């Protein structure tokens, strides 16, 4: 187990096409290439022997490290301290244009004294399933080619001597104050530098361009309130998970990081969930980043054009919108801390989840109101989706938690069906679009009455997980946030109290009791869901419990890693669990921060979602 670092010891870099994880100790241990959902080049995060890594570390066993981002950027600094000196490793991925290949840039500089470093560059193509060849092109350039079906070609360039051994590159150097070593890994066969340009000059040029991009992007926010640093770190993380080619957003950077060490709950999250992407767009719009919302809407329009009928809407897609997400087990990899199986793909893509229609229609509603008017042609596609919800809202489904072994009449799904009808009605009325409003109004009101009366448990004095259930579900925390119920309605306050009593551990919230709720046929436990914990804080604020809300929110901030990043869950010892970083957690943080900031500034009109409605 000592070969695997805690998940929270990593930082994220990316180029809006893919991402990499760099440890606090200078090792790049995860990189799918050239896209988020592509096979990995490095994956020692999932198998420390076979997965592949790229480490740059002092040879001394006695060293300390510090890691931080350059503020308001995705440029990562890792500093090394020994008795003899101090060094700084800078990692980033330049934002590439269409004519450029994906690139990872690393630069090591000695700040004071001297230090001896070693580098191990051990690529393992195609999820460590393919061998590769390596050849030296010139004194400082090496070309690598996968023997797998993808035939991936990479060029590795450095300004220090290296040696080839068993398909890997190694280097050891003693460096003194102001000495630098540059490393560039790039897709394709061409060298990264321009004619007559040194590698150090290339580093300075691309660093400056990357720095300016992030600062310009962050400057576009309309958020200038409390907790700005954490809010903008979350925004940058969401941006890193958003494809600049397609406009789609992946749910998380990684695959198969376990929700329970030793358990089987290990999933591939490198896809675009309609639900997760919709909530991400909420966050972007709230922060003033309208271009991201526009690009996602264009992506949605393409999906609608491709669907023969409304029932063909999938709950998740590949980044490019393709639909084949066949789930495969990589049984040659042992998994993080020997927690298998390691899965790629996700067979939940074929589930029926009613709620995605509500989240999608809500996203379009928000964009139509704050980003730009949608076309009538697109409205006709949306009308089909809304009609589908009106005709199918009573169907059991697999729910937000993607229960694999059974379908239920989940309360959350009914809530989001209500949202689909409500937002569709609002768009039609605002834009005077033709629509069967009488039908939609009737169904919307019927759903409301169904949830309010039949998804309520007199015994629990709470809204429960599904009709007839006797267990709670933190997903209903969205009920006031989408304005389906008043945050001070007696039934809601009773539900909030029940969630506190049954699903909370301190400031953290479990999604539901796995033993009492809908069964998914999967064994094992899990941690608290950070997304639900932030939803809870936002609910407290909306209900007027402002001091308590701020305390819970700021307590949750403590569980971020040293860089302000979150995975999906928090374990019993405060460790991060699940895929990392997780979009859902960061967008929920933004939502809660916005609501609390409004409250502190004396704007008591409502919350994050009130802005949208």
């Amino acid at each position: 187990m000592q070969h695997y670092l805690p998940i929270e010891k990593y930082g994220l870099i990316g180029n809006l096409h893919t991402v990499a994880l760099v440890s606090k100790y200078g090792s790049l241990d995860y990189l799918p290439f050239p896209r988020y959902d592509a096979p990995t080049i490095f994956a020692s995060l999932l198998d420390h022997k076979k997965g592949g890594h790229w480490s740059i570390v002092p040879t001394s066993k006695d060293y300390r490290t510090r890691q931080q981002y350059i503020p308001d950027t995705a440029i990562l600094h890792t500093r090394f301290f020994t008795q003899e000196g101090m060094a700084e490793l800078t990692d980033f991925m330049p934002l590439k244009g269409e004519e450029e290949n994906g690139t990872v840039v690393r630069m090591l500089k000695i700040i004071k004294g001297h230090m001896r470093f070693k580098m191990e560059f051990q690529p393992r193509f195609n999820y460590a399933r393919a061998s590769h060849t390596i050849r030296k092109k010139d004194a400082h350039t090496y070309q690598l080619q996968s023997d797998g079906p993808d035939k991936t070609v990479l060029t590795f360039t450095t300004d220090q001597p290296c040696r080839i051994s068993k398909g890997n590159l190694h280097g050891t150097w003693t460096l003194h104050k102001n000495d630098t070593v540059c490393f560039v890994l790039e897709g394709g066969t061409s060298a990264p530098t321009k004619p007559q340009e040194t590698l150090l000059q290339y580093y300075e040029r691309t660093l400056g361009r990357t720095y300016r991009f992030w600062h310009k992007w962050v400057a576009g926010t309309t958020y200038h309130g409390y907790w700005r640093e954490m809010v903008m770190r979350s925004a940058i993380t969401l941006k890193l998970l958003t494809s600049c080619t397609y406009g789609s957003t992946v749910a998380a950077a990684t695959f198969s990081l376990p929700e329970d060490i030793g358990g089987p709950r290990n999933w591939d999250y490198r896809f675009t969930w309609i639900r997760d992407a919709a909530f991400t767009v909420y966050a972007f719009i709230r922060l003033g980043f309208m271009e991201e919302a526009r690009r996602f809407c264009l992506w949605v329009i393409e999906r609608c054009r491709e669907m023969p009928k409304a029932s063909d809407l999938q709950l998740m897609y590949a980044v490019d919108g393709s639909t084949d997400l066949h789930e495969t087990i990589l049984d040659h990899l042992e998994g993080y801390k020997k927690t298998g199986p390691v899965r790629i793909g996700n067979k939940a893509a074929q589930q029926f989840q009613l709620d995605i229609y509500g989240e999608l229609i809500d996203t379009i509603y928000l964009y139509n109101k704050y980003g730009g008017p949608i076309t009538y042609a697109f409205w006709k596609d949306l009308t089909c989706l809304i009609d589908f919800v009106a005709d199918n809202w009573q169907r059991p489904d697999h729910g937000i938690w993607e229960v694999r072994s059974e379908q239920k009449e989940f309360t959350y799904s009914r809530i989001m069906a209500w949202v689909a009808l409500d937002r569709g009605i609002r768009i039609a009325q605002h834009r005077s679009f033709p629509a069967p409003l009488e039908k939609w109004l009737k169904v919307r009101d019927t759903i409301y009455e169904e949830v309010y009366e039949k998804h309520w448990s007199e015994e629990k004095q709470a809204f429960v997980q599904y009709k007839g259930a006797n267990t709670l579900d933190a997903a209903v925390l969205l009920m006031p946030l989408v304005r389906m119920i008043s945050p001070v309605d007696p039934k809601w306050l009773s539900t909030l109290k029940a969630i506190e009593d049954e699903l909370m551990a301190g400031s953290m919230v479990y999604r539901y009791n796995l033993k009492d709720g809908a069964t998914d046929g999967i064994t094992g436990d899990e941690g608290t869901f950070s997304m639900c914990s932030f939803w809870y804080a936002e609910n407290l604020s909306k209900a007027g419990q402002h001091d308590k809300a701020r305390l819970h929110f700021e307590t949750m901030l403590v569980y971020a890693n040293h860089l302000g990043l979150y995975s999906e869950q928090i374990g019993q010892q405060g460790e991060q669990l699940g895929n990392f970083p997780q979009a859902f957690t960061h967008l929920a943080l933004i939502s809660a921060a916005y609501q609390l900031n409004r409250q502190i500034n004396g704007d008591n009109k409502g919350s994050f979602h009130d802005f949208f409605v």
Side-chain angles (χ1 to χ4, degrees):
M1 297 297 187
Q2 72 265 24
H3 299 292
Y4 294 95
L5 293 175
I7 293 170
E8 60 265 25
K9 297 296 185 183
Y10 286 91
L12 183 75
I13 60 174
N15 62 0
L16 311 186
H17 297 269
T18 190
V19 289
L21 292 182
V22 181
S23 81
K24 191 177 180 180
Y25 303 100
S27 184
L28 197 160
D29 292 339
Y30 176 80
L31 173 65
F33 192 87
R35 212 171 72 177
Y36 305 103
D37 51 1
T40 54
I41 304 296
F42 304 110
S44 62
L45 191 64
L46 294 164
D47 193 309
H48 74 97
K49 291 181 180 179
K50 300 177 182 178
H53 69 278
W54 180 9
S55 63
I56 302 171
V57 296
T59 57
S60 170
K61 294 182 179 179
D62 184 20
Y63 68 90
R64 297 185 301 109
T65 68
R66 294 282 302 274
Q67 193 176 55
Q68 65 185 61
Y69 285 108
I70 295 178
D72 288 346
T73 77
I75 301 169
L76 190 62
H77 281 330
T78 305
R79 293 187 176 91
F80 302 92
F81 304 87
T82 67
Q83 292 294 329
E84 293 76 28
M86 179 175 76
E88 183 176 82
L89 177 65
T90 302
D91 287 295
F92 65 97
M93 297 180 72
L95 283 300
K96 76 184 188 74
E98 290 184 3
E99 75 286 356
E100 297 173 309
N101 294 311
T103 306
V104 178
V105 178
R106 315 190 76 184
M107 201 278 278
L108 179 66
K109 182 177 182 178
I110 305 302
I111 306 300
K112 67 177 182 179
H114 66 275
M115 203 176 298
R116 188 165 176 79
F117 271 85
K118 63 179 179 180
M119 182 208 70
E120 293 181 351
F121 180 84
Q122 299 183 3
R124 298 293 182 265
F125 291 85
N126 192 22
Y127 301 113
R129 294 182 295 188
S131 60
H132 66 274
T133 57
I134 182 170
R135 66 182 182 89
K136 190 172 184 179
K137 294 182 65 177
D138 57 43
H140 301 295
T141 307
Y142 303 82
Q143 186 172 304
L144 303 95
Q145 180 164 350
S146 168
D147 297 327
D150 57 315
K151 300 298 181 183
T152 300
V153 177
L154 300 175
T155 298
F156 178 91
T157 310
T158 182
D159 50 14
Q160 289 291 329
C162 296
R163 66 185 185 278
I164 299 174
S165 175
K166 298 180 180 179
N168 306 316
L169 287 170
H170 302 270
T172 307
W173 317 283
T174 299
L175 305 171
H176 299 81
K177 183 179 179 179
N178 294 327
D179 285 347
T180 62
V181 187
C182 294
F183 311 88
V184 178
L185 178 65
E186 185 169 47
T189 59
S190 60
T193 55
K194 294 180 177 180
Q196 311 305 316
E197 182 182 46
T198 67
L199 207 57
L200 181 59
Q201 289 171 331
Y202 169 84
Y203 162 79
E204 292 172 343
R205 174 169 61 85
T206 54
L207 177 69
R209 189 177 71 179
T210 306
Y211 179 85
R212 288 189 296 272
F213 168 85
W214 284 110
H215 273 275
K216 181 179 179 181
W217 186 79
V218 168
T221 185
T222 56
Y223 185 89
H224 303 288
Y226 288 83
W227 312 288
R228 182 189 180 280
E229 184 176 352
M230 288 296 291
V231 169
M232 295 318 300
R233 180 53 51 197
S234 291
I236 290 170
T237 302
L238 295 179
K239 179 66 171 174
L240 284 170
L241 298 177
T242 301
S243 168
C244 69
T245 300
Y246 302 105
S248 52
T249 297
V250 295
T254 58
F255 63 97
S256 276
L257 288 182
E259 299 172 9
D260 175 36
I261 303 301
R265 298 177 182 274
N266 318 311
W267 317 112
D268 191 345
Y269 277 9
R270 301 171 300 157
F271 305 117
T272 301
W273 268 256
I274 294 295
R275 176 190 308 112
D276 301 51
F279 282 128
T280 298
V281 170
Y282 294 172
F284 280 141
I285 291 177
R286 178 58 268 168
L287 298 177
F289 298 119
M290 295 301 177
E291 178 61 16
E292 284 69 23
R294 185 187 72 84
R295 293 292 309 283
F296 177 69
C297 287
L298 292 175
W299 184 88
V300 170
I301 289 173
E302 289 298 315
R303 305 292 77 72
C304 289
R305 288 173 178 169
E306 294 166 356
M307 291 188 302
K309 53 186 183 300
S311 60
D312 293 325
L313 179 67
Q314 286 196 178
L315 67 104
M316 72 178 87
Y317 295 83
V319 176
D320 62 2
S322 57
T323 58
D324 184 9
L325 306 183
H326 178 72
E327 186 170 297
T328 302
I329 291 177
L330 303 178
D331 53 13
H332 66 289
L333 299 178
E334 70 175 21
Y336 176 77
K337 292 190 175 182
K338 299 184 178 181
T339 301
V342 174
R343 294 184 176 95
I344 56 173
N346 199 313
K347 69 179 182 181
Q350 302 305 316
Q351 288 184 355
F352 173 60
Q353 294 181 17
L354 180 68
D355 67 283
I356 64 172
Y357 292 86
E359 288 127 359
L360 180 58
I361 301 303
D362 203 12
T363 300
I364 305 305
Y365 164 74
L366 303 180
Y367 181 74
N368 179 73
K369 188 172 183 179
Y370 296 103
I374 63 173
T375 65
Y376 176 57
F378 185 36
W379 170 248
K380 288 192 290 185
D381 290 330
L382 294 183
T383 299
C384 294
L385 297 179
I386 299 165
D387 267 335
F388 176 81
V389 176
D391 295 336
N392 292 273
W393 69 269
Q394 293 179 308
R395 282 177 57 182
D397 72 331
H398 292 277
I400 183 176
W401 308 127
E402 299 179 353
V403 175
R404 292 198 168 196
S405 60
E406 62 179 338
Q407 298 185 33
K408 296 286 188 181
E409 295 180 56
F410 286 105
T411 303
Y412 178 79
S413 297
R414 299 296 183 271
I415 292 169
M416 297 312 296
W418 178 88
V419 169
L421 273 297
D422 182 75
R423 304 315 192 252
I425 291 166
R426 290 171 184 267
I427 295 172
Q429 292 175 332
H430 174 68
R431 296 290 306 281
S432 299
F433 280 143
L437 289 179
E438 184 177 351
K439 172 187 174 181
W440 289 358
L441 283 163
K442 182 178 180 180
V443 175
R444 184 195 65 177
D445 294 347
T446 300
I447 296 172
Y448 191 98
E449 292 170 351
E450 164 97 3
V451 171
Y452 200 81
E453 301 296 341
K454 297 183 180 180
H455 289 252
W456 169 265
S457 168
E458 285 295 330
E459 179 183 345
K460 290 287 186 180
Q461 285 295 293
F463 293 104
V464 288
Q465 186 177 52
Y466 55 88
K467 187 163 66 174
N470 199 35
T471 191
L472 302 178
D473 191 325
V476 302
L477 287 167
L478 260 293
M479 202 171 176
L481 304 188
V482 297
R483 297 187 72 179
M484 188 178 185
I485 194 170
S486 165
V488 293
D489 185 293
K491 277 193 170 183
W492 177 250
L493 293 177
S494 179
T495 299
L496 202 59
K497 177 63 166 57
I499 289 173
E500 291 173 347
D501 292 342
E502 293 193 21
L503 296 182
M504 292 197 66
S507 294
M508 299 179 290
V509 181
Y510 289 93
R511 56 177 182 159
Y512 69 96
N513 188 321
L514 294 179
K515 297 179 180 178
D516 296 335
T519 60
D520 57 12
I522 305 293
T523 59
D525 295 319
E526 60 185 20
T528 57
F529 266 60
S530 296
M531 168 185 65
C532 298
S533 302
F534 284 118
W535 284 349
Y536 170 73
E538 186 173 350
N539 269 275
L540 290 177
S541 182
K542 285 179 67 68
Q545 302 178 48
H546 308 304
D547 290 341
K548 185 178 179 181
R550 184 169 181 175
L551 175 62
H552 278 269
F553 175 78
E554 293 182 333
T555 299
M556 275 302 300
L557 296 184
V558 175
Y559 289 97
N561 80 345
H562 60 290
L563 297 169
L565 303 180
Y566 291 86
S567 64
E568 183 177 39
Q569 303 177 27
I570 303 295
Q572 293 185 358
Q573 299 181 41
E575 74 276 19
Q576 305 241 15
L577 295 172
N579 286 305
F580 173 88
Q582 175 87 358
F584 244 153
T585 304
H586 287 279
L587 60 89
L589 183 156
I590 292 170
S591 177
Y594 176 73
Q595 158 61 17
L596 286 163
N597 183 67
R598 290 184 68 177
Q599 215 300 308
I600 292 169
N601 290 328
D603 183 354
N604 300 326
K605 294 179 182 179
S607 76
F608 174 82
H609 286 82
D610 289 338
F611 168 83
F612 297 134
V613 180

